[in-house]
Amino acid sequence: MDPGASSSSRLVQRLAEAGQSHLLQFWDELSPEEQANMTLDLETMDFQEINGFFKNAMAMSSGSKHEKMDARMEPVPREVLGSVTRDRDSLKGWEVEGLHCISQSKVAVLLLAGGQGTRLGVSYPKGMYDVGLPSHKTLFQIQAERILKLQQLAEQKHKTKCYVPWYIMTSGRTMDSTKEFFSRHNYFGLSKNNVIFFQQGMLPAMDYNGKIILESKGKLSMAPDGNGGLYRALGNQGIVDDMERRGIEFIHIYCVDNILVKVADPAFVGFCAQKGADCGAKVVEKTNPTEAVGVVCKVDGRYQVVEYSEITLTTAEKRSADGRLMFNAGNVANHFFTLSFLKDIVQKYEPQLQHHVAQKKIPYVDTQGRLNTPDKPNGIKMEKFVFDIFQFSKTFVVYEVLREDEFSPLKNADSQDGKDTPTTARHALMSLHHRWVLNAGGHFIDENGTRVPAIPRAGAAGSVTDDGNRNLKDGTDLPIKCEISPLVSYGGEGLESLVQGQEFCPTLVINEKGAHELVKNGV
């Protein structure tokens, strides 16, 4: 680096002070363009802050490694819990309240969409993935159409025009392709002004000595700062200000990979609003003690998510008098915040959040400039989690829903007996839509014209398959092939006129043009 240029010498000095001078060891081998790009990357970084993050994260990580949470944990008290199964009489009221909030354009949706489909075997953003439904809709399209339908339902009920703005947090790697995808598909019918993209921050990967790792001679190894990086991004990129300008009061936050997500779920929003909550978590019942899912509970009197690895098996297996697991509120990254709570987080509490340490195998350039791909963890990535802010809530509530109705994440590529795959996601959605048809008075018949018996949702209460998934099946292992467009029904409503008293041969597709049976070749 040319020490004559004042900005360059300042950068050299800053790196030296932070103990990160090794980042320039290949400087003379870089082309002018590579030098310019690297300078740009380095100049935007606060190395002292990053070193501080590293020190605190490592101290917290070594301090918490061996200490289990068991003695400090209490389950969610019944008075803060709303449940779709245990509070059936209240559901309608909550939904009415939520729909009223939506009709006043007070509800926004915030989508965490920073992930690439790497584990699915694709390099593009997960939201662009097609799980193989008859319609071949992507996750983004399904979610967009749910928002469109919800706006329509609220407008019909309250005779007033409304909209649900959709804030989409991408990462540096997914921003351009996500924006281009939405633009190409004309925002799936939503108004372009109501789809707002913003980007989560990135942090460098570091080795165990706190040195930033180079992934090539002129490029730092960077990683998104976890979905909890949301709060910093909301402040940095003016998103909270935008929400305030629009008169938003309530925000629903969720992850892109859940094909069953009820976007801006009116019952969830209404429940939280009626309870006067500033923060709420939607959960599914954890039924298998060893399922590796975090649980929402109280620790030292404050709400948080405790990961499966942080408790002993004895605590995981504890049951209440009703036979349910004591710690059964499975976290599904689906949350409610008021705007005033979100503002407090961004302005006051975000800097207090500690980074979590994830040990990773990080490809790196050695001192000879050779790229190495390690076979065991050689460094850390630092991240914050979206639920780290539960502890600051003054009125926290928990809303329990049925897994088979609302949670089927897409994480892994298809494989034999795979979990959270395109096949399990597709089957979960078709199984839900099958139930909607049955509930609306429709029937399915096989190729011989015989009615397919409907197996009840879960058999005896609490009877589940080994992995904790409940499924409605048609007597075989495969669900009935049935897909209902979100533009026709948001949550199973309004189907009677299309299906009541009718018999259908799978594959059944119900869209804006009506109900159609597809024959084997998909015609």
Side-chain angles (χ1 to χ4, degrees), residues 346-365:
V346 169
Q347 290 162 9
K348 278 199 286 206
Y349 299 121
E350 196 283 330
Q352 297 175 32
L353 297 178
Q354 293 290 336
H355 285 93
H356 304 264
V357 166
Q359 302 204 26
K360 301 277 186 183
K361 300 175 204 165
I362 304 162
Y364 66 97
V365 170

Side-chain angles (χ1 to χ4, degrees), residues 47 58 85 87 138 215-216 237 268 366 443 454 478 503 505:
F47 296 106
M58 290 303 274
T85 52
D87 296 310
T138 59
E215 71 176 26
S216 68
Q237 297 181 50
F268 181 36
D366 63 21
H443 303 277
L478 297 173
E503 293 182 331
C505 264

Side-chain angles (χ1 to χ4, degrees), residues 148-167:
L148 276 169
K149 183 62 181 173
L150 202 51
Q151 289 177 169
Q152 187 191 358
L153 289 171
E155 285 173 5
Q156 283 168 353
K157 186 165 173 57
H158 293 279
K159 309 285 182 280
T160 170
K161 195 95 183 108
C162 68
Y163 65 90
V164 177
W166 197 10
Y167 295 90

Side-chain angles (χ1 to χ4, degrees), residues 79-80 105 115-116 129 193 226 260 277 284 314 322 354 369 372 393 408 423 449 457 465 495 498 501 504-505:
E79 62 270 19
V80 306
S105 298
Q116 284 170 292
Y129 198 84
N193 298 335
L260 299 184
V284 298
T314 313
D322 62 4
Q354 293 290 336
N372 290 264
S393 167
S408 180
T423 297
R457 176 187 277 141
T465 54
L495 295 173
L498 290 164
F504 299 101
C505 264

Side-chain angles (χ1 to χ4, degrees), residues 102-170:
I102 289 164
S103 75
Q104 296 177 307
S105 298
K106 288 180 177 175
V107 179
V109 175
L110 204 162
L111 165 60
L112 306 174
Q116 284 170 292
T118 316
R119 275 157 66 188
L120 291 163
V122 297
S123 58
Y124 51 79
K126 239 189 218 185
M128 287 161 55
Y129 198 84
D130 160 15
V131 300
L133 292 166
S135 67
H136 291 288
K137 288 177 182 175
T138 59
L139 295 174
F140 279 145
Q141 181 169 355
I142 291 166
Q143 291 162 23
E145 291 182 353
R146 285 181 188 146
I147 292 174
L148 276 169
K149 183 62 181 173
L150 202 51
Q151 289 177 169
Q152 187 191 358
L153 289 171
E155 285 173 5
Q156 283 168 353
K157 186 165 173 57
H158 293 279
K159 309 285 182 280
T160 170
K161 195 95 183 108
C162 68
Y163 65 90
V164 177
W166 197 10
Y167 295 90
I168 299 176
M169 183 172 85
T170 68

Side-chain angles (χ1 to χ4, degrees), residues 2-13:
D2 173 13
S6 63
S7 65
S8 298
S9 57
R10 264 204 314 277
L11 188 52
V12 171
Q13 190 183 340

